[in-house]
Amino acid sequence: MARVPSSVIAASGLVGGYGVARWTKKRPLGGAVLAVAGGVAARQWRQRAGGKAAGALSVAYVAAFAGSHPLAKKVGAWPSVFGVAGAVALASWAVADRRA
């Protein structure tokens, strides 16, 4: 079975976490989706690119989550989430996935 790229997992965690929180009206549930996906992606980042890269990408993942909130005030919630998810996916691909 083919492995799902970490870039897809990270982007899905950001989009899925927001979607679950919005549709269920339970922010902790969305946070759980975000955290689980982040953990899975971080494990793959470490395996593929090493600890320093995994740490940097994990910081980017959390920063994207935090940065999506003020960005949403300017461009709207969904465009913000898709924008930061795309940025994290691109960084993840460049650092970890393109080597695989």
Side-chain angles (χ1 to χ4, degrees):
M1 183 162 95
R3 191 180 267 199
V4 177
S6 61
S7 54
V8 173
I9 294 169
S12 297
L14 289 161
V15 173
Y18 175 69
V20 167
R22 182 172 176 138
W23 289 315
T24 65
K25 300 194 185 329
K26 299 196 184 312
R27 291 178 69 169
L29 189 56
V33 170
L34 180 79
V36 168
V40 172
R43 190 177 74 153
Q44 285 191 14
W45 293 330
R46 184 177 173 98
Q47 290 171 346
R48 293 180 182 171
K52 286 184 180 182
L57 288 168
S58 295
V59 167
Y61 185 79
V62 172
F65 166 70
S68 70
H69 292 82
L71 182 60
K73 293 181 192 289
K74 297 181 186 273
V75 299
W78 280 112
S80 172
V81 171
F82 286 130
V84 300
V88 168
L90 181 61
S92 178
W93 175 82
V95 172
D97 291 341
R98 74 179 167 156
R99 297 178 186 182

